[in-house]
Amino acid sequence: MKGNPVRIVGGMTLALVAGALLLYGAHPVRGSDHQDSPTTVNRPAADITDVFAYQAPHNPNNVVLQMDVWPLITHSQLGMVALDPAVMYQFKIDNTGDGVEDLVIQLQPTTAGTGQSINVYGPGKPNETGTYSSFIPQTGSVAFNDRSGTPLSNGMKVFVGPTKDPFFFDLLTFFNIIPDRYYGCHAPFTNAFGVPCGGATASSFNGFTSAFNQQHSTSCSLTPASDTLSSHQFNVIAIVVEVPKSLLLNPAHPVMGVWATTSTTSGS
Ligand SMILES: [Ca+2]
């Protein structure tokens, strides 16, 4: 995402019910995030792994926003996992530069399971800003894993379904650097990757160059980096919206900030 005029934030949420209104609340966190708290492990469909924003590859008038959830889906789990109907999935867009959302796109499935239909709301002005949210008027709906790309009435295309995890991360080397983060060494898991469960066996990530080491007077590993997530065929559920830029951009401030949240009313 380097060079793109967008901010990338992944978020997991807690929530409260306030008064007679059903409000969804969020506590955002920054950066790629796979299974980093008991709350997210217990509700993987609300565990945001990454958020991306990029130019639509086939239409210069559109921008694509993508939120990936449910980390580390194995091949055998495909066809059995889908979005959680208790969760509000939300893209937030700041188009004035103040870090406060001016527009939101919200999604929520109507039922559990891979036969679910997902309601889509917005893009539109949020009813609230910050950590509490409620639904804005609905735009349309899309079936889980519908790959037809049929536009909604506002021209937005939506895809929700399983995809290969696009995030490049040399996870096993990370575990070798900080072994206590390796869940394979903690009951009831088994050491599926064969990572040493003792002390650290690596001091840097792989993939550095001799020129880098010389420039920085260091000796980082020259071993090629390995994309652990895709090489072990891990998948995520991708929530992808392709949106006409005209629906999101503010001509007076042509830089757009994007982040995402998942929220529940139960707080867990
Ligand atoms: Ca704003």
Side-chain angles (χ1 to χ4, degrees), residues 86-109:
V87 174
M88 171 196 279
Y89 299 85
Q90 189 166 210
F91 293 100
K92 297 193 173 189
I93 299 102
D94 168 31
N95 62 19
T96 60
D98 61 0
V100 177
E101 63 269 39
D102 304 288
L103 297 167
V104 294
I105 299 170
Q106 302 164 332
L107 303 96
Q108 188 174 49

Side-chain angles (χ1 to χ4, degrees), residues 64-94:
V64 180
L65 310 181
Q66 176 173 343
M67 169 193 344
D68 293 340
V69 299
W70 204 312
L72 307 177
I73 299 171
T74 64
H75 184 74
S76 62
Q77 291 176 297
L78 292 175
M80 297 189 293
V81 296
L83 294 186
D84 185 336
V87 174
M88 171 196 279
Y89 299 85
Q90 189 166 210
F91 293 100
K92 297 193 173 189
I93 299 102
D94 168 31

Side-chain angles (χ1 to χ4, degrees), residues 13-29:
T13 79
L14 300 174
L16 297 170
V17 176
L21 294 175
L22 200 58
L23 291 177
Y24 291 76
H27 292 283
V29 294

